[in-house]
Amino acid sequence: MTTTFQKFIGNSMHFGHIVYAKKRLIMRLSLANDVNVLASMFDRLSERNRWYRDFTLDALTRAVRETIACFPVYRTYLAPGRPVSDADVAVIERAVGAAKRRNPAVEESVFNFLRDILLFRFPENLNEEERGEHVHFVLKFQQSTGPIMAKGLEDTAFYIYNRLAALNEVGGEPQQFGLSSDQFHERNITRQRDWPGSLLATSTHDTKRSEDVRARMVAISELPQVWRRSLSRWRTLNRPFKQIIDDAEAPDRNEEYLLYQILLGTWPTEPFGELPDDAREKYIDRIRQYMAKALKEAKVNTSWIRPNEQWDSAMSNFIFRILEKSPKNKFLPSFTPVAEEISRLGAINSLSQLLLKLTAPGVPDIYQGNEIWDYSLVDPDNRRPVDYPHRQKMLDELRDAQGMELLGSWPDGRIKLFSTQRLLLFRRNNLELFQSGSYLPLSVAGTFAECCVGFAREHEDRFVLVLAPRLTSRIGFPPLGDRWGDTSVQLPEGFKNKIVQDIFTSEVRDLQGSSLALAQTFSALPFAVLTNAQP
């Protein structure tokens, strides 16, 4: 994925360097006054210290600006009268160390002076008023790093580093390409031990892309060869629709690379060519609005402050031309099969995500409209009215529905609503199991061991086994039955010979032997929740 991204855009991008540069950009533009206020406060503190009073305002300003630019987190949480935590010490030491490395021409002692103040290592013999000024500077500094990080990272860098845009999410780390199953289990164990009441949110008012869009987009990484070949083909087919503005192609390659990901993440489940004209036009308009915002947030070729109307128009026209319903359009016949494959993989990813969110340690949250498939993008796209009567009607029709039937008609979204309803009912009936239940990772063996993640929750005499698929491009769609071959889940010692029921299929089974064969467990649905408690 990294190689494909770099080859397509024609250069190498380093995420850390982008964040650093864009935070500096923000401090020069929209939040310049915040930095100037901090620098003036810092200058007054240095004037009262005989070791540092010779520092110029320019040197002190640069130390403040560079340290903030190198801050690895949004903020620290130091407060007077409270011990400085090891975590805060590590953050400040890391930021100051990075600022020193990036500024070898600046006197090191300036950064050391700033570091000591930020860690409450104030000079001796300060009177109460002077100490109060030092504390005020630290608190003001902490209040400033958060907005600068948000604007530099979320509102700028996230729209530039497009290697796999699904990773560019609030709270995410785009430079970290996924977690292993072992790391996933380790984090759940830590959450259950330290933060059992923390929120599990997959879509919010502030997400760049909804949970279902991201679930599709991450599926691109399961088909890296298809992605690379498709990009090359699409770029060739769509090159005639670009415009030359000041000797540059508009849209540029990075913008085009993002656009194809967005199309794959939001592509309608109905055949595009068969959509009514108004539905197709509405979809094209949504993509145009999103890309217009994405380009302005990136601040590369256009921006909110200084819009480049020619560039904005070129992107809007490009989107219209490549999505135009015309016999001459060669892009859609090439794009549609890939979009259909990605949408199937994304549906399974989304159902697994839902299953894990509603059973793992923490308190799950469901954002409005996400009870069924929701392919919304950043606001204002995710502020569109939710059709609750439609969802209520679907819920009423689920009373007699069967999971296998719902999976067969997965594009209509009922399978997600069905899974949500059954899991929430199970949580309500077994509150203590999820609030206080232990967390036990399950071991998977066999040909597709990497394609399933499982864990158990146990409280007193009640337990639940949770099994979810992943990386299902290796298995096929739908990932059911014999496709799983010899893959099996190892049962913990205390769970053997127990009678359990699958909350989705109502099937009752006896856990005989030392393992569960996934070919049997996933015979009707590609996920399972088995329990000896009330379903």
PDB file of all heavy atoms in Angstrom, residues 14-27 62 65-71 98-99 102-103 152 157:
ATOM      1  N   HIS A  14       6.240  11.497   4.388  1.00  0.00           N
ATOM      2  CA  HIS A  14       6.468  11.032   5.755  1.00  0.00           C
ATOM      3  C   HIS A  14       5.433  11.702   6.643  1.00  0.00           C
ATOM      4  O   HIS A  14       5.390  12.927   6.753  1.00  0.00           O
ATOM      5  CB  HIS A  14       7.880  11.377   6.214  1.00  0.00           C
ATOM      6  CG  HIS A  14       8.222  10.809   7.558  1.00  0.00           C
ATOM      7  ND1 HIS A  14       7.808  11.374   8.751  1.00  0.00           N
ATOM      8  CD2 HIS A  14       8.940   9.711   7.902  1.00  0.00           C
ATOM      9  CE1 HIS A  14       8.261  10.668   9.771  1.00  0.00           C
ATOM     10  NE2 HIS A  14       8.943   9.645   9.280  1.00  0.00           N
ATOM     11  N   PHE A  15       4.583  10.897   7.275  1.00  0.00           N
ATOM     12  CA  PHE A  15       3.468  11.453   8.024  1.00  0.00           C
ATOM     13  C   PHE A  15       3.931  12.407   9.127  1.00  0.00           C
ATOM     14  O   PHE A  15       3.361  13.496   9.302  1.00  0.00           O
ATOM     15  CB  PHE A  15       2.626  10.328   8.632  1.00  0.00           C
ATOM     16  CG  PHE A  15       1.436  10.812   9.407  1.00  0.00           C
ATOM     17  CD1 PHE A  15       0.359  11.387   8.746  1.00  0.00           C
ATOM     18  CD2 PHE A  15       1.389  10.711  10.787  1.00  0.00           C
ATOM     19  CE1 PHE A  15      -0.741  11.844   9.447  1.00  0.00           C
ATOM     20  CE2 PHE A  15       0.297  11.167  11.500  1.00  0.00           C
ATOM     21  CZ  PHE A  15      -0.777  11.732  10.826  1.00  0.00           C
ATOM     22  N   GLY A  16       4.962  12.032   9.871  1.00  0.00           N
ATOM     23  CA  GLY A  16       5.449  12.889  10.956  1.00  0.00           C
ATOM     24  C   GLY A  16       5.908  14.243  10.460  1.00  0.00           C
ATOM     25  O   GLY A  16       5.652  15.275  11.098  1.00  0.00           O
ATOM     26  N   HIS A  17       6.584  14.264   9.321  1.00  0.00           N
ATOM     27  CA  HIS A  17       7.051  15.531   8.756  1.00  0.00           C
ATOM     28  C   HIS A  17       5.870  16.404   8.324  1.00  0.00           C
ATOM     29  O   HIS A  17       5.912  17.639   8.467  1.00  0.00           O
ATOM     30  CB  HIS A  17       7.967  15.283   7.555  1.00  0.00           C
ATOM     31  CG  HIS A  17       9.241  14.583   7.904  1.00  0.00           C
ATOM     32  ND1 HIS A  17       9.781  14.583   9.175  1.00  0.00           N
ATOM     33  CD2 HIS A  17      10.111  13.853   7.138  1.00  0.00           C
ATOM     34  CE1 HIS A  17      10.900  13.903   9.186  1.00  0.00           C
ATOM     35  NE2 HIS A  17      11.127  13.436   7.958  1.00  0.00           N
ATOM     36  N   ILE A  18       4.818  15.758   7.789  1.00  0.00           N
ATOM     37  CA  ILE A  18       3.639  16.518   7.362  1.00  0.00           C
ATOM     38  C   ILE A  18       2.972  17.173   8.565  1.00  0.00           C
ATOM     39  O   ILE A  18       2.622  18.367   8.535  1.00  0.00           O
ATOM     40  CB  ILE A  18       2.645  15.609   6.625  1.00  0.00           C
ATOM     41  CG1 ILE A  18       3.249  15.098   5.321  1.00  0.00           C
ATOM     42  CG2 ILE A  18       1.339  16.356   6.339  1.00  0.00           C
ATOM     43  CD1 ILE A  18       2.397  14.059   4.622  1.00  0.00           C
ATOM     44  N   VAL A  19       2.781  16.408   9.638  1.00  0.00           N
ATOM     45  CA  VAL A  19       2.128  16.961  10.822  1.00  0.00           C
ATOM     46  C   VAL A  19       2.929  18.125  11.385  1.00  0.00           C
ATOM     47  O   VAL A  19       2.378  19.184  11.726  1.00  0.00           O
ATOM     48  CB  VAL A  19       1.939  15.864  11.901  1.00  0.00           C
ATOM     49  CG1 VAL A  19       1.372  16.464  13.176  1.00  0.00           C
ATOM     50  CG2 VAL A  19       1.027  14.761  11.387  1.00  0.00           C
ATOM     51  N   TYR A  20       4.252  17.948  11.470  1.00  0.00           N
ATOM     52  CA  TYR A  20       5.123  19.018  11.966  1.00  0.00           C
ATOM     53  C   TYR A  20       4.974  20.275  11.103  1.00  0.00           C
ATOM     54  O   TYR A  20       4.781  21.386  11.617  1.00  0.00           O
ATOM     55  CB  TYR A  20       6.574  18.530  11.959  1.00  0.00           C
ATOM     56  CG  TYR A  20       7.619  19.605  12.131  1.00  0.00           C
ATOM     57  CD1 TYR A  20       7.884  20.156  13.383  1.00  0.00           C
ATOM     58  CD2 TYR A  20       8.353  20.071  11.039  1.00  0.00           C
ATOM     59  CE1 TYR A  20       8.854  21.150  13.538  1.00  0.00           C
ATOM     60  CE2 TYR A  20       9.316  21.058  11.186  1.00  0.00           C
ATOM     61  CZ  TYR A  20       9.564  21.588  12.436  1.00  0.00           C
ATOM     62  OH  TYR A  20      10.515  22.571  12.585  1.00  0.00           O
ATOM     63  N   ALA A  21       5.030  20.115   9.797  1.00  0.00           N
ATOM     64  CA  ALA A  21       4.954  21.267   8.894  1.00  0.00           C
ATOM     65  C   ALA A  21       3.590  21.951   8.964  1.00  0.00           C
ATOM     66  O   ALA A  21       3.505  23.192   8.951  1.00  0.00           O
ATOM     67  CB  ALA A  21       5.239  20.817   7.460  1.00  0.00           C
ATOM     68  N   LYS A  22       2.527  21.167   9.072  1.00  0.00           N
ATOM     69  CA  LYS A  22       1.190  21.757   9.073  1.00  0.00           C
ATOM     70  C   LYS A  22       0.861  22.405  10.420  1.00  0.00           C
ATOM     71  O   LYS A  22       0.106  23.390  10.460  1.00  0.00           O
ATOM     72  CB  LYS A  22       0.138  20.707   8.700  1.00  0.00           C
ATOM     73  CG  LYS A  22       0.332  20.131   7.302  1.00  0.00           C
ATOM     74  CD  LYS A  22       0.582  21.230   6.260  1.00  0.00           C
ATOM     75  CE  LYS A  22       1.022  20.702   4.924  1.00  0.00           C
ATOM     76  NZ  LYS A  22       1.333  21.785   3.955  1.00  0.00           N
ATOM     77  N   LYS A  23       1.414  21.910  11.500  1.00  0.00           N
ATOM     78  CA  LYS A  23       1.231  22.594  12.779  1.00  0.00           C
ATOM     79  C   LYS A  23       1.951  23.946  12.753  1.00  0.00           C
ATOM     80  O   LYS A  23       1.432  24.947  13.271  1.00  0.00           O
ATOM     81  CB  LYS A  23       1.741  21.724  13.923  1.00  0.00           C
ATOM     82  CG  LYS A  23       0.840  20.526  14.224  1.00  0.00           C
ATOM     83  CD  LYS A  23       1.423  19.599  15.271  1.00  0.00           C
ATOM     84  CE  LYS A  23       1.391  20.189  16.646  1.00  0.00           C
ATOM     85  NZ  LYS A  23       1.857  19.235  17.672  1.00  0.00           N
ATOM     86  N   ARG A  24       3.131  23.980  12.135  1.00  0.00           N
ATOM     87  CA  ARG A  24       3.827  25.255  11.996  1.00  0.00           C
ATOM     88  C   ARG A  24       3.030  26.215  11.110  1.00  0.00           C
ATOM     89  O   ARG A  24       2.970  27.420  11.373  1.00  0.00           O
ATOM     90  CB  ARG A  24       5.214  25.030  11.397  1.00  0.00           C
ATOM     91  CG  ARG A  24       6.182  24.288  12.316  1.00  0.00           C
ATOM     92  CD  ARG A  24       7.584  24.322  11.751  1.00  0.00           C
ATOM     93  NE  ARG A  24       8.127  25.684  11.803  1.00  0.00           N
ATOM     94  CZ  ARG A  24       9.127  26.111  11.038  1.00  0.00           C
ATOM     95  NH1 ARG A  24       9.677  25.288  10.150  1.00  0.00           N
ATOM     96  NH2 ARG A  24       9.575  27.333  11.141  1.00  0.00           N
ATOM     97  N   LEU A  25       2.406  25.674  10.058  1.00  0.00           N
ATOM     98  CA  LEU A  25       1.575  26.499   9.179  1.00  0.00           C
ATOM     99  C   LEU A  25       0.424  27.120   9.967  1.00  0.00           C
ATOM    100  O   LEU A  25       0.133  28.325   9.834  1.00  0.00           O
ATOM    101  CB  LEU A  25       1.035  25.648   8.025  1.00  0.00           C
ATOM    102  CG  LEU A  25       0.046  26.330   7.072  1.00  0.00           C
ATOM    103  CD1 LEU A  25       0.753  27.410   6.265  1.00  0.00           C
ATOM    104  CD2 LEU A  25      -0.605  25.302   6.150  1.00  0.00           C
ATOM    105  N   ILE A  26      -0.250  26.321  10.775  1.00  0.00           N
ATOM    106  CA  ILE A  26      -1.369  26.809  11.576  1.00  0.00           C
ATOM    107  C   ILE A  26      -0.901  27.898  12.547  1.00  0.00           C
ATOM    108  O   ILE A  26      -1.593  28.905  12.763  1.00  0.00           O
ATOM    109  CB  ILE A  26      -2.019  25.648  12.352  1.00  0.00           C
ATOM    110  CG1 ILE A  26      -2.686  24.654  11.387  1.00  0.00           C
ATOM    111  CG2 ILE A  26      -3.030  26.161  13.373  1.00  0.00           C
ATOM    112  CD1 ILE A  26      -3.780  25.256  10.526  1.00  0.00           C
ATOM    113  N   MET A  27       0.289  27.712  13.106  1.00  0.00           N
ATOM    114  CA  MET A  27       0.809  28.706  14.058  1.00  0.00           C
ATOM    115  C   MET A  27       1.234  29.997  13.365  1.00  0.00           C
ATOM    116  O   MET A  27       1.395  31.030  14.018  1.00  0.00           O
ATOM    117  CB  MET A  27       1.975  28.107  14.858  1.00  0.00           C
ATOM    118  CG  MET A  27       1.525  27.129  15.920  1.00  0.00           C
ATOM    119  SD  MET A  27       2.869  26.573  17.001  1.00  0.00           S
ATOM    120  CE  MET A  27       3.651  25.344  15.970  1.00  0.00           C
ATOM    121  N   ARG A  62      10.647  31.146  19.017  1.00  0.00           N
ATOM    122  CA  ARG A  62      10.966  29.966  18.216  1.00  0.00           C
ATOM    123  C   ARG A  62      10.953  28.695  19.075  1.00  0.00           C
ATOM    124  O   ARG A  62      10.468  27.650  18.641  1.00  0.00           O
ATOM    125  CB  ARG A  62      12.334  30.129  17.562  1.00  0.00           C
ATOM    126  CG  ARG A  62      12.663  29.022  16.584  1.00  0.00           C
ATOM    127  CD  ARG A  62      13.831  29.402  15.695  1.00  0.00           C
ATOM    128  NE  ARG A  62      14.091  28.383  14.700  1.00  0.00           N
ATOM    129  CZ  ARG A  62      14.966  28.516  13.710  1.00  0.00           C
ATOM    130  NH1 ARG A  62      15.643  29.646  13.579  1.00  0.00           N
ATOM    131  NH2 ARG A  62      15.148  27.544  12.846  1.00  0.00           N
ATOM    132  N   ARG A  65       7.268  27.838  19.635  1.00  0.00           N
ATOM    133  CA  ARG A  65       6.641  27.365  18.395  1.00  0.00           C
ATOM    134  C   ARG A  65       7.147  25.976  18.007  1.00  0.00           C
ATOM    135  O   ARG A  65       6.358  25.092  17.649  1.00  0.00           O
ATOM    136  CB  ARG A  65       6.911  28.359  17.271  1.00  0.00           C
ATOM    137  CG  ARG A  65       6.212  27.988  15.973  1.00  0.00           C
ATOM    138  CD  ARG A  65       6.385  29.053  14.902  1.00  0.00           C
ATOM    139  NE  ARG A  65       7.791  29.293  14.610  1.00  0.00           N
ATOM    140  CZ  ARG A  65       8.418  30.446  14.813  1.00  0.00           C
ATOM    141  NH1 ARG A  65       7.767  31.477  15.324  1.00  0.00           N
ATOM    142  NH2 ARG A  65       9.697  30.594  14.498  1.00  0.00           N
ATOM    143  N   GLU A  66       8.444  25.753  18.077  1.00  0.00           N
ATOM    144  CA  GLU A  66       9.013  24.468  17.659  1.00  0.00           C
ATOM    145  C   GLU A  66       8.638  23.345  18.613  1.00  0.00           C
ATOM    146  O   GLU A  66       8.408  22.205  18.195  1.00  0.00           O
ATOM    147  CB  GLU A  66      10.534  24.585  17.545  1.00  0.00           C
ATOM    148  CG  GLU A  66      11.000  25.451  16.393  1.00  0.00           C
ATOM    149  CD  GLU A  66      10.572  24.890  15.054  1.00  0.00           C
ATOM    150  OE1 GLU A  66      10.854  23.707  14.781  1.00  0.00           O
ATOM    151  OE2 GLU A  66       9.916  25.613  14.286  1.00  0.00           O
ATOM    152  N   THR A  67       8.562  23.639  19.906  1.00  0.00           N
ATOM    153  CA  THR A  67       8.177  22.608  20.870  1.00  0.00           C
ATOM    154  C   THR A  67       6.730  22.198  20.660  1.00  0.00           C
ATOM    155  O   THR A  67       6.398  21.010  20.698  1.00  0.00           O
ATOM    156  CB  THR A  67       8.385  23.111  22.314  1.00  0.00           C
ATOM    157  OG1 THR A  67       9.767  23.439  22.509  1.00  0.00           O
ATOM    158  CG2 THR A  67       7.974  22.050  23.333  1.00  0.00           C
ATOM    159  N   ILE A  68       5.861  23.171  20.392  1.00  0.00           N
ATOM    160  CA  ILE A  68       4.457  22.836  20.109  1.00  0.00           C
ATOM    161  C   ILE A  68       4.353  22.038  18.813  1.00  0.00           C
ATOM    162  O   ILE A  68       3.593  21.068  18.719  1.00  0.00           O
ATOM    163  CB  ILE A  68       3.605  24.120  20.030  1.00  0.00           C
ATOM    164  CG1 ILE A  68       3.519  24.794  21.397  1.00  0.00           C
ATOM    165  CG2 ILE A  68       2.210  23.795  19.510  1.00  0.00           C
ATOM    166  CD1 ILE A  68       2.778  26.117  21.392  1.00  0.00           C
ATOM    167  N   ALA A  69       5.123  22.421  17.804  1.00  0.00           N
ATOM    168  CA  ALA A  69       5.091  21.708  16.521  1.00  0.00           C
ATOM    169  C   ALA A  69       5.525  20.253  16.682  1.00  0.00           C
ATOM    170  O   ALA A  69       5.088  19.385  15.922  1.00  0.00           O
ATOM    171  CB  ALA A  69       5.985  22.412  15.511  1.00  0.00           C
ATOM    172  N   CYS A  70       6.365  19.988  17.663  1.00  0.00           N
ATOM    173  CA  CYS A  70       6.872  18.630  17.886  1.00  0.00           C
ATOM    174  C   CYS A  70       6.097  17.870  18.951  1.00  0.00           C
ATOM    175  O   CYS A  70       6.454  16.735  19.277  1.00  0.00           O
ATOM    176  CB  CYS A  70       8.354  18.685  18.287  1.00  0.00           C
ATOM    177  SG  CYS A  70       9.445  19.282  16.981  1.00  0.00           S
ATOM    178  N   PHE A  71       5.047  18.481  19.487  1.00  0.00           N
ATOM    179  CA  PHE A  71       4.271  17.816  20.539  1.00  0.00           C
ATOM    180  C   PHE A  71       3.615  16.563  19.965  1.00  0.00           C
ATOM    181  O   PHE A  71       2.888  16.635  18.966  1.00  0.00           O
ATOM    182  CB  PHE A  71       3.208  18.775  21.079  1.00  0.00           C
ATOM    183  CG  PHE A  71       3.243  18.925  22.568  1.00  0.00           C
ATOM    184  CD1 PHE A  71       4.349  19.481  23.184  1.00  0.00           C
ATOM    185  CD2 PHE A  71       2.185  18.505  23.366  1.00  0.00           C
ATOM    186  CE1 PHE A  71       4.405  19.633  24.559  1.00  0.00           C
ATOM    187  CE2 PHE A  71       2.223  18.643  24.732  1.00  0.00           C
ATOM    188  CZ  PHE A  71       3.338  19.213  25.335  1.00  0.00           C
ATOM    189  N   ALA A  98      12.805  16.566  20.251  1.00  0.00           N
ATOM    190  CA  ALA A  98      12.575  16.660  18.809  1.00  0.00           C
ATOM    191  C   ALA A  98      12.782  18.090  18.318  1.00  0.00           C
ATOM    192  O   ALA A  98      13.336  18.312  17.228  1.00  0.00           O
ATOM    193  CB  ALA A  98      11.161  16.189  18.483  1.00  0.00           C
ATOM    194  N   ALA A  99      12.361  19.073  19.100  1.00  0.00           N
ATOM    195  CA  ALA A  99      12.542  20.476  18.712  1.00  0.00           C
ATOM    196  C   ALA A  99      14.028  20.829  18.637  1.00  0.00           C
ATOM    197  O   ALA A  99      14.460  21.568  17.736  1.00  0.00           O
ATOM    198  CB  ALA A  99      11.824  21.382  19.705  1.00  0.00           C
ATOM    199  N   ARG A 102      15.466  19.403  15.372  1.00  0.00           N
ATOM    200  CA  ARG A 102      15.024  20.123  14.174  1.00  0.00           C
ATOM    201  C   ARG A 102      15.589  21.542  14.101  1.00  0.00           C
ATOM    202  O   ARG A 102      15.460  22.198  13.073  1.00  0.00           O
ATOM    203  CB  ARG A 102      13.492  20.180  14.141  1.00  0.00           C
ATOM    204  CG  ARG A 102      12.834  18.833  13.810  1.00  0.00           C
ATOM    205  CD  ARG A 102      11.329  19.001  13.669  1.00  0.00           C
ATOM    206  NE  ARG A 102      10.664  17.750  13.324  1.00  0.00           N
ATOM    207  CZ  ARG A 102      10.491  17.277  12.099  1.00  0.00           C
ATOM    208  NH1 ARG A 102      10.969  17.967  11.075  1.00  0.00           N
ATOM    209  NH2 ARG A 102       9.856  16.129  11.882  1.00  0.00           N
ATOM    210  N   ASN A 103      16.196  22.002  15.187  1.00  0.00           N
ATOM    211  CA  ASN A 103      16.706  23.380  15.236  1.00  0.00           C
ATOM    212  C   ASN A 103      18.116  23.421  15.819  1.00  0.00           C
ATOM    213  O   ASN A 103      18.348  23.988  16.893  1.00  0.00           O
ATOM    214  CB  ASN A 103      15.756  24.255  16.061  1.00  0.00           C
ATOM    215  CG  ASN A 103      14.376  24.369  15.467  1.00  0.00           C
ATOM    216  OD1 ASN A 103      14.126  25.252  14.652  1.00  0.00           O
ATOM    217  ND2 ASN A 103      13.476  23.487  15.867  1.00  0.00           N
ATOM    218  N   GLY A 152      -3.825  21.308  12.856  1.00  0.00           N
ATOM    219  CA  GLY A 152      -2.714  20.847  12.039  1.00  0.00           C
ATOM    220  C   GLY A 152      -2.843  19.398  11.618  1.00  0.00           C
ATOM    221  O   GLY A 152      -2.498  19.028  10.491  1.00  0.00           O
ATOM    222  N   ALA A 157      -3.351  17.698   7.938  1.00  0.00           N
ATOM    223  CA  ALA A 157      -2.550  16.518   7.580  1.00  0.00           C
ATOM    224  C   ALA A 157      -3.411  15.323   7.187  1.00  0.00           C
ATOM    225  O   ALA A 157      -3.052  14.551   6.287  1.00  0.00           O
ATOM    226  CB  ALA A 157      -1.625  16.144   8.739  1.00  0.00           C
TER     227      ALA A 157
END
